[in-house]
Amino acid sequence: MSNAANIHRANDPHDFLNLQTLVDSEELAIQQSVRRFVEDRVLPEIGDWYDEGVFPRDLAKEMGSLGLLGMHLEGYGCAGTNAVSYGLACLELEAGDSGFRSFVSVQGSLAMFPIHAFGSEEQKQQWLPGMAAGELIGCFGLTEPDSGSDPGSMRTTARRDGTDWILNGTKMWITNGPIADVAIIWARAEEGIRGFVVPTTTPGFTANTVHKKASLRASVTGELVLEDVRLPETAVLPGVVGLRGPLSCLNEARFGILFGAVGAGRACYESALAYSISREQFGQSIAGFQLVQRKLVEMMISVNRSTLVALHLGRLKDAGTLTPAQVSFGKMDNVRQALDVAREARNSLGANGITLEYPVIRHMNNLESVYTYEGTNEIHTLALGHAITGIAAYR
Ligand code: FAD
């Protein structure tokens, strides 16, 4: 064999920089088990779920038994893995569909994390084991119809009535809202923003499904209406007052997203690579055209580069030094990279790129939501601008 052929064979198109060597055996085992779950349980049906606009709630318990729910939290039935393992699980889930990664992010980072970090012992005992098992589903209500990028402008109120709390307001775009057993609701109280653990069966609480979504269709999104929802004193999260509460949850969830987006991008690149090699036009494989190769190479570089960023940020998180602005870097850049890859891959598949027979347009449409939620591209740009100049330019 010639040296050129040897060199060619040494390069794995699916892990070009051999980044697997940056992951230890335990992390790799977790990644591979999530990948198998996605291949066996998600990929065969995801096109139909997306088409029909359903999230298969039954799979929540399977994800629970795999330890994927609240997997980076300690105790209360949670797996207690390191951050890199949690990230790699998110990567593989999102290689299946962003809806699955969203489910796991919301359950673990947005609903379980605040109870774990700011809840009373009683709240932890009551909710976390069932949520870790996937028997109870949680959601996170921060965004409102008139309060998105600027959560400090929220209108939902919490007022005291004796020892009880009374909540009023509307939350919008809430992932898992209509299927949730418990909602973490952020509301404006006299002393500042407070978080509440609200059972969704509480009188006055209504969840309406958002229909006609063209993105993240295999994920349930809802509007939550709170009309004089009366809660006992024990419903408030005692450990935090102010926007720091919801923002620290978002920081956790964004960490999962910066890994997850790599998975969506990888799935699109791999689909475009396989398609380009097998598709023939002008009497030859389209992968033999220079313009097509350029696209494939750009996609491959993007996926490898964003994997490196994710793994590096994961190591910083495990070392306890990861800053929110570094998370903004990863969320912003990895999501836009994945969206660029998805759009190029969509183009590479020609007409087949617009059908759900292939994963690409599904990922592309999903990534539009991922680009917007958990801090838009602009808001993370401003967070990074603030971090490097010391000047806040949000308003
Ligand atoms: P806006 O804040 O109105 O922004 C509109 C545009 O203006 C954006 O491009 C934005 O970047 C830009 N903009 C705003 N302010 C500035 C500025 N200062 N400078 C420059 N540009 C600016 N929320 C939850 O609480 N819980 C959930 O579970 C949840 N799930 C979601 C699921 C889906 C599918 C989607 C789409 C959203 C979800 N969200 C959820 C809401 C999401 O977090 C918000 O959509 C997001 O924060 C943006 O808010 P907005 O849609 O109101 O947009």
Side-chain angles (χ1 to χ4, degrees):
M1 196 188 294
S2 71
N3 274 349
N6 264 332
I7 288 165
H8 175 73
R9 293 231 173 129
N11 296 316
D12 177 359
H14 302 288
D15 182 12
F16 196 81
L17 295 181
N18 207 6
L19 299 179
Q20 196 172 300
T21 54
L22 301 180
V23 170
D24 75 23
S25 58
E26 199 176 323
E27 293 159 351
L28 191 60
I30 290 172
Q31 179 174 14
Q32 286 171 342
S33 79
V34 182
R35 192 169 189 152
R36 275 194 301 279
F37 166 76
V38 169
E39 282 168 0
D40 296 346
R41 305 293 284 133
V42 178
L43 292 183
E45 295 194 69
I46 186 62
D48 291 337
W49 292 329
Y50 189 95
D51 201 20
E52 291 155 19
V54 295
F55 172 77
R57 186 188 171 133
D58 291 353
L59 287 187
K61 286 187 190 154
E62 278 186 52
M63 289 191 270
S65 64
L66 281 172
L68 299 179
L69 306 178
M71 80 185 275
H72 57 314
L73 304 178
E74 292 283 344
Y76 307 96
C78 304
T81 67
N82 70 357
V84 167
S85 298
Y86 169 57
L88 291 169
C90 289
L91 188 157
E92 293 302 334
L93 285 167
E94 197 147 355
D97 191 83
S98 303
F100 278 75
R101 201 269 311 133
S102 297
F103 176 84
V104 164
S105 290
V106 169
Q107 179 82 349
S109 294
L110 295 181
M112 295 172 71
F113 172 80
I115 298 175
H116 195 273
F118 309 123
S120 64
E121 188 55 35
E122 187 192 353
Q123 288 167 340
K124 293 179 197 180
Q125 300 281 359
Q126 182 181 354
W127 295 106
L128 293 179
M131 293 173 85
E135 283 155 10
L136 298 172
I137 292 177
C139 69
F140 174 88
L142 178 65
T143 305
E144 300 182 356
D146 296 320
S147 167
S149 298
D150 178 18
S153 66
M154 74 169 64
R155 293 185 187 160
T156 298
T157 56
R159 82 178 153 80
R160 286 185 188 271
D161 183 32
T163 57
D164 288 351
W165 290 94
I166 311 284
L167 267 56
N168 278 289
T170 304
K171 297 291 178 182
M172 192 59 192
W173 301 112
I174 308 306
T175 303
N176 297 348
I179 58 168
D181 300 285
V182 59
I184 305 298
I185 298 291
W186 299 95
R188 183 179 301 288
E190 216 173 75
E191 65 271 30
I193 307 286
R194 300 299 305 258
F196 294 85
V197 185
V198 184
T200 55
T201 50
T202 311
F205 183 101
T206 317
N208 304 308
T209 302
V210 174
H211 293 291
K212 299 192 178 176
K213 283 186 304 172
S215 170
L216 224 60
R217 289 184 52 75
S219 168
V220 186
T221 312
E223 173 200 50
L224 309 181
V225 181
L226 298 107
E227 284 175 320
D228 289 328
V229 171
R230 179 176 289 275
L231 299 167
E233 172 66 30
T234 52
V236 73
L237 292 170
V240 72
V241 179
L243 267 184
R244 184 177 73 82
L247 294 186
S248 60
C249 302
L250 292 173
N251 195 50
E252 287 297 307
R254 288 166 185 159
F255 175 79
I257 292 173
L258 70 88
F259 269 89
V262 177
R266 186 190 75 193
C268 293
Y269 157 65
E270 290 185 344
S271 184
L273 180 64
Y275 189 87
S276 301
I277 290 169
S278 66
R279 175 72 175 170
E280 292 191 1
Q281 287 294 287
F282 298 98
Q284 66 168 84
S285 158
I286 63 168
F289 296 123
Q290 291 180 352
L291 293 177
V292 173
Q293 285 199 1
R294 181 181 181 166
K295 281 185 235 167
L296 293 170
V297 167
E298 294 294 347
M299 287 183 230
M300 182 276 288
I301 288 175
S302 258
V303 171
N304 278 266
R305 199 164 53 199
S306 54
T307 307
L308 267 174
V309 168
L311 285 172
H312 176 64
L313 295 181
R315 296 290 171 221
L316 293 185
K317 185 164 169 63
D318 277 326
T321 62
L322 184 64
T323 68
Q326 289 168 332
V327 173
S328 284
F329 180 117
K331 196 277 180 182
M332 178 183 157
D333 197 48
N334 281 8
V335 175
R336 73 176 174 184
Q337 297 273 350
L339 195 48
D340 286 348
V341 168
R343 288 174 179 152
E344 278 294 25
R346 214 294 307 145
N347 174 24
S348 302
L349 268 68
N352 280 318
I354 70 148
T355 86
L356 294 175
E357 298 297 322
Y358 292 85
V360 176
I361 195 155
R362 180 168 51 76
H363 283 299
M364 191 185 95
N365 288 349
N366 283 339
L367 285 165
E368 292 291 349
S369 286
V370 182
Y371 193 69
T372 286
Y373 70 22
E374 304 272 349
T376 64
N377 186 67
E378 289 76 13
I379 292 301
H380 288 296
T381 305
L382 294 171
L384 291 171
H386 188 185
I388 60 175
T389 65
I391 304 167
Y394 301 97
R395 51 184 85 238

